Amino acid sequence: MRCMWRPGLGAMVAWLVMAIVLAAPGGCTPGRGQAVPFELQDLAVVPGQPPAVRTWGADINPAFQAAIVEAAQRERAALAAAGYEGPLPPAEYLVLSGGGADGAFGAGLLCGWTAAGDRPRFKMVTGISTGALIAPFAFLGPRYDGVIREVYTRSRTKDIFRERGVIRGFLSDALSDTRPLWRLLERYVDERLLDEIAEEYRQGRLLLIGTTNLDARRAVLWNIGEIAASDSPDRLELVRSILVASAAIPAAFPPVMVDVEVNGERYQEMHVDGGAMTQVFVFPPSLHLRELAEREGVRRERRAYIIRNARLDPEWAQVDRRTLTIAQRAISSLIQTQGLGDLYRIYIDAQREGVDFNLAYIPRTFTVEAKEAFDPAYMSALFDLGYDLAAGGYPWEKSPPYFDAPVGEPAQGDRAAR
């Protein structure tokens, strides 16, 4: 969860808010509905939506797992209807991380991949934070390259958020107002786009977005295709809410409140940036993908392409000997190492599940400085970098940084499920 102002500043803002709240006798803060009680968390459902629309990130529920199995069955049926008689084609997963304005790197890489001519039609696309905002368009393919190019090269800070001012920000639920981001989504995420996502879902493809349930302090994965394919009149509002929530940096951006119910009783969940729990995800480890595929008779190669919209080198800087500067630097370091840890976890899971691991991230050679949170010049330079690298054939890393595979370990291509 890299802050959209400067690396780590979102975390510093959270510290500032916490300090002021602890020091102040009270204030006028926005109200909210009652949170789901601890003992009822697993029973909460979104009104008008089936249980398969979401699951906890670390503990997949039976309805969500059943939706994964049904997606494979629909894919088989769609291929058969198209006259395809061979073995199942490789399942290729696109995994998009958070990173704020650094999402321009992933946007450029995808567009460059299209130019290279070998961009897959992904079986599944997942997204967190800025990756969540790219994910629906990446899922629908190259015909939406123009949208992600425009958003990630022409947007300015004012197109994403508006600062509330110090006093109002501290007494509200965030320092900024994200109505500009809502308007941006209203422009691009409409009923037609949801219909297209629903059609792809019916053909067995998956689009998953991650948020953080702050009440429960747990990651939540949302099955956007299931929502899009529903006949709920609220499906568009729910999808937009999930996308905004996934990018809602705590304290910097307002949380998104999601109405749920348990046994007819109404409650309200507070959802924020998915990066508060994980910077990037594929499937929950509890899914046991290889075992599930074997049980369902699904044999195919699997490849994951992970785009980490961030630099992964330490990024040296002299730190001023001041409380807030030290806190900012320390917590931004924690966020960066959390992202590295996520990559290690995904790599180990890929080895266990027979999934070929491929990683892209911003190289240390990129040193352009942003002049504002969303600086078109900075984002354009980063977009062009990703584009040029991919158009020439991206050199995907086969393991996370600083990770050495054990001597004699088979290549991942040899380990992939056939």
Side-chain angles (χ1 to χ4, degrees):
M1 182 182 61
R2 185 175 180 181
C3 179
M4 294 186 182
W5 281 298
R6 293 286 187 271
L9 187 55
M12 186 183 73
V13 167
W15 276 69
L16 279 167
V17 171
M18 181 178 69
I20 289 179
V21 167
L22 290 175
C28 299
T29 55
R32 59 159 296 177
Q34 182 183 351
V36 181
F38 172 79
E39 65 276 9
L40 299 179
Q41 293 177 92
D42 292 342
L43 302 178
V45 297
V46 180
Q49 293 291 341
V53 301
R54 64 181 193 168
T55 186
W56 297 120
D59 186 17
I60 193 166
N61 66 47
F64 196 92
Q65 179 166 308
I68 302 299
V69 172
E70 290 166 7
Q73 295 169 349
R74 291 196 301 272
E75 181 187 11
R76 281 174 162 169
L79 289 170
Y84 184 85
E85 298 179 351
L88 284 174
E92 299 184 279
Y93 311 138
L94 176 65
V95 182
L96 300 165
S97 85
D102 286 347
F105 174 73
L109 192 153
L110 286 168
C111 292
W113 204 347
T114 298
D118 59 352
R119 175 174 161 182
R121 180 174 182 262
F122 298 103
K123 163 69 175 176
M124 179 181 72
V125 176
T126 75
I128 288 280
S129 197
T130 196
L133 301 179
I134 299 172
F137 309 106
F139 178 75
L140 293 175
R143 67 183 181 276
Y144 280 96
D145 282 1
V147 173
I148 59 175
R149 178 191 290 269
E150 180 175 352
V151 171
Y152 281 91
T153 61
R154 297 183 181 178
S155 296
R156 306 195 72 96
T157 304
K158 64 180 178 64
D159 299 318
I160 307 301
F161 66 87
R162 183 176 58 206
E163 294 182 11
R164 285 175 167 167
V166 176
I167 300 300
R168 185 180 172 212
F170 284 152
L171 296 179
S172 187
D173 57 359
L175 293 179
S176 300
D177 184 334
T178 50
R179 275 181 287 185
L181 177 58
W182 283 95
R183 287 195 292 269
L184 191 67
L185 288 178
E186 288 168 3
R187 178 179 175 185
Y188 293 113
V189 179
D190 55 16
E191 291 285 354
R192 187 185 70 172
L193 184 117
L194 257 59
D195 288 341
E196 292 182 28
I197 292 173
E199 179 58 32
E200 296 298 327
Y201 183 63
R202 295 186 188 101
Q203 295 182 38
R205 299 179 64 220
L206 297 167
L207 172 60
L208 308 181
I209 300 298
T211 65
T212 296
N213 180 328
L214 204 56
D215 297 315
R217 198 156 66 177
R218 298 171 76 177
V220 178
L221 308 185
W222 296 84
N223 184 348
I224 302 300
E226 183 79 11
I227 300 171
S230 75
D231 56 4
S232 170
D234 301 324
R235 63 172 190 155
L236 181 57
E237 180 182 357
L238 179 58
V239 169
R240 288 174 177 166
S241 295
I242 292 166
L243 296 178
V244 173
S246 187
I249 302 168
F253 292 171
V256 174
M257 308 308 296
V258 177
D259 292 327
V260 298
E261 61 182 33
V262 179
N263 299 326
E265 291 290 327
R266 286 298 187 107
Y267 298 96
Q268 203 170 55
E269 297 173 346
M270 180 181 289
H271 286 257
V272 299
D273 194 331
M277 295 300 298
T278 182
Q279 303 296 312
V280 62
F281 75 95
V282 187
F283 274 125
S286 60
L287 182 65
H288 298 291
L289 182 61
R290 187 201 293 266
E291 179 183 321
L292 182 63
E294 290 177 353
R295 187 164 70 236
E296 296 297 323
V298 177
R299 297 183 178 276
R300 68 197 313 177
E301 295 183 30
R302 296 180 176 84
R303 307 185 189 108
Y305 295 93
I306 301 106
I307 300 178
R308 180 70 178 104
N309 292 301
R311 283 175 52 176
L312 300 181
D313 55 292
E315 291 189 87
W316 182 93
Q318 178 170 310
V319 181
D320 293 337
R321 192 173 178 178
R322 294 186 296 173
T323 300
L324 293 180
T325 306
I326 293 169
Q328 173 189 357
R329 180 69 171 176
I331 297 178
S332 66
S333 299
L334 179 63
I335 292 169
Q336 183 188 42
T337 54
Q338 178 205 21
L340 282 170
D342 290 334
L343 295 177
Y344 295 157
R345 171 182 49 78
I346 290 172
Y347 179 77
I348 296 301
D349 287 344
Q351 296 292 310
R352 183 190 72 179
E353 303 294 353
V355 178
D356 184 43
F357 179 96
N358 300 272
L359 173 65
Y361 54 90
I362 300 172
R364 67 173 66 202
T365 53
F366 183 78
T367 57
V368 176
E369 292 288 334
K371 296 181 179 179
E372 59 178 295
F374 285 85
D375 179 356
Y378 171 88
M379 292 191 295
S380 292
L382 193 50
F383 180 97
D384 290 343
L385 172 66
Y387 185 98
D388 292 342
L389 286 171
Y394 194 86
W396 297 91
E397 299 282 344
K398 303 303 293 182
S399 62
Y402 319 118
F403 186 96
D404 293 323
V407 176
E409 181 176 297
Q412 285 189 328
D414 297 333
R415 294 169 59 94
R418 301 292 176 182

